[in-house]
Amino acid sequence: MAKSHHRHHEAQTQFPDQNQPCQIFPENTITGMVPREGNLVQDTVALRSIETGQPLVFTCSPTQQLNGLAIGAKGMAGLGGARSSLSSQIFDSVHAQRKITVCISSSSGVVLLGRDSYESQSEGEFFRSLTFSPLFTNQKGYFISVNSIKIDGRRLSLSLPKDQGTKGRTQLSSIVPYTTMESSIYDTFKKAYMKAASAMNMTRVTSLAPFELCFSSKGIDNVPVIDLVLQSELVKWRIYGRNSMVRLSSDVMCLGFVDGGLNPEYPVVIGGYQLEDVIVQFDLDTSMVGFSSSLLLKHSSCSHFKSGFMPAESV
């Protein structure tokens, strides 16, 4: 019986002799699983009536590589800076503006490649209100520089590492489910959040893995606001309760920030839960990243966007 296969982008290639198919072993970045087989293939892609000008490179691997992905997923599409990523190949093929806009929710979302495109007045208002900060990149992803962290307006007493590259920066990741912090940073953050929560009469309850701070949600309308202060005090990524608290039941909610260990690759990684219902735009031409406030504050959601994966007018 023939094995069914699916396609992946971004992988490590093993170069064979010229008489054999090119073998490639794409990693499932959610589970870390690497298959024992995989073939490099080319195909032409049409997205919203736009056909790529040249064949794109994919890899085909066994369907076991779908384990750990969302229900209904057919594969993984890389949007990073590698030349083999889907976004890089499309930009090179159709000569689009090198801009990636991501808006995800718990149920669905959109990815836009190219210039800003929207199908309603409200969508346009969201794009025009984006806040921008310098973007740093490497082969592993996208990064911002966080200068300080505040909880309910109070600056935390900690020193966030940073260097001229990306190692000391804050990574943005849709793969990591919840924001992680290096242990010493997390310890300071946790104590400050607990102090702010106590001032709001929030009742702590038994911790539930992977979370350390859990609270009773009875009678709680608001929780402490978290600010990631970027290049100046005027530029901040503000995280409200919907993106900071994970509701585990009708009575229990937990802080969706977790201990990332003593020696993580990056000191802070902003996870997928904190990115939900936030427009994030990576402008690779200007090396800037734009982000919105939570769309939920305006009674909207990323699942409400009408735009598809790549609207024809986006290129």
Side-chain angles (χ1 to χ4, degrees):
M1 181 180 295
K3 296 181 180 179
S4 58
H5 290 71
H6 67 283
R7 291 172 174 174
H8 277 272
H9 301 271
E10 293 190 65
Q12 297 177 343
T13 304
Q14 175 180 306
F15 296 98
D17 64 64
Q18 295 181 352
N19 297 321
Q20 297 294 327
C22 185
Q23 294 292 303
I24 197 166
F25 308 102
E27 178 185 3
N28 179 324
T29 53
I30 303 297
T31 64
M33 179 180 176
V34 178
R36 295 183 178 179
E37 60 179 302
N39 293 320
L40 186 68
V41 299
Q42 284 186 319
D43 203 353
T44 302
V45 177
L47 301 170
R48 284 287 187 94
S49 78
I50 291 295
E51 185 170 307
T52 55
Q54 59 191 34
L56 302 187
V57 176
F58 302 86
T59 61
C60 290
S61 60
T63 52
Q64 291 92 326
Q65 282 297 94
L66 297 175
N67 293 341
L69 303 185
I71 296 174
K74 302 300 183 183
M76 301 182 71
L79 299 176
R83 292 291 302 275
S84 60
S85 73
L86 176 64
S87 52
S88 293
Q89 292 190 70
I90 290 178
F91 292 149
D92 291 342
S93 176
V94 299
H95 306 294
Q97 187 176 3
R98 298 175 67 244
K99 185 181 292 186
I100 304 171
T101 305
V102 180
C103 192
I104 59 176
S105 73
S106 59
S107 59
S108 61
V110 297
V111 175
L112 307 178
L113 303 179
R115 65 179 175 83
D116 296 347
S117 177
Y118 33 82
E119 298 186 7
S120 70
Q121 182 177 352
S122 61
E123 288 184 11
E125 292 175 355
F126 293 143
F127 278 88
R128 287 188 290 270
S129 64
L130 297 183
T131 298
F132 286 88
S133 184
L135 173 68
F136 304 87
T137 64
N138 66 16
Q139 291 293 315
K140 294 187 177 181
Y142 300 112
F143 303 80
I144 57 176
S145 182
V146 176
N147 288 333
S148 64
I149 299 175
K150 293 182 178 180
I151 296 179
D152 267 358
R154 294 178 178 270
R155 183 190 299 270
L156 274 60
S157 299
L158 51 80
S159 176
L160 294 171
K162 56 177 76 71
D163 56 28
Q164 297 301 313
T166 58
K167 188 172 180 58
R169 309 289 181 178
T170 294
Q171 186 182 36
L172 306 179
S173 173
S174 61
I175 297 174
V176 175
Y178 307 104
T179 294
T180 64
M181 297 177 170
E182 185 273 331
S183 291
S184 64
I185 297 174
Y186 180 75
D187 186 59
T188 300
F189 176 84
K190 180 178 66 174
K191 291 176 180 177
Y193 194 92
M194 189 64 218
K195 182 177 180 180
S198 297
M200 299 179 70
N201 296 318
M202 294 173 60
T203 302
R204 189 174 179 181
V205 298
T206 302
S207 299
L208 296 171
F211 310 110
E212 289 194 33
L213 287 184
C214 295
F215 303 88
S216 169
S217 59
K218 294 180 179 179
I220 300 298
D221 295 323
N222 296 300
V223 300
V225 174
I226 300 168
D227 285 326
L228 305 180
V229 182
L230 305 180
Q231 66 265 36
S232 76
E233 290 291 324
L234 298 177
V235 183
K236 62 189 69 173
W237 187 323
R238 176 157 287 183
I239 302 174
Y240 292 94
R242 170 56 184 81
N243 290 100
S244 65
M245 282 292 179
V246 182
R247 189 171 291 275
L248 300 185
S249 70
S250 59
D251 299 326
V252 177
M253 57 185 181
C254 297
L255 182 63
F257 290 69
V258 298
D259 190 336
L262 291 175
N263 294 296
E265 186 170 11
Y266 304 107
V268 179
V269 178
I270 298 177
Y273 190 78
Q274 281 66 47
L275 297 174
E276 285 186 9
D277 294 306
V278 174
I279 299 173
V280 182
Q281 184 176 89
F282 304 99
D283 191 329
L284 305 183
D285 289 329
T286 63
S287 294
M288 298 293 287
V289 57
F291 54 91
S292 70
S293 58
S294 173
L295 301 187
L296 300 177
L297 297 175
K298 298 182 180 180
H299 307 290
S300 186
S301 168
C302 289
S303 61
H304 294 165
F305 271 58
K306 298 178 182 179
S307 303
F309 179 80
M310 185 180 175
E313 61 268 30
S314 70
V315 296

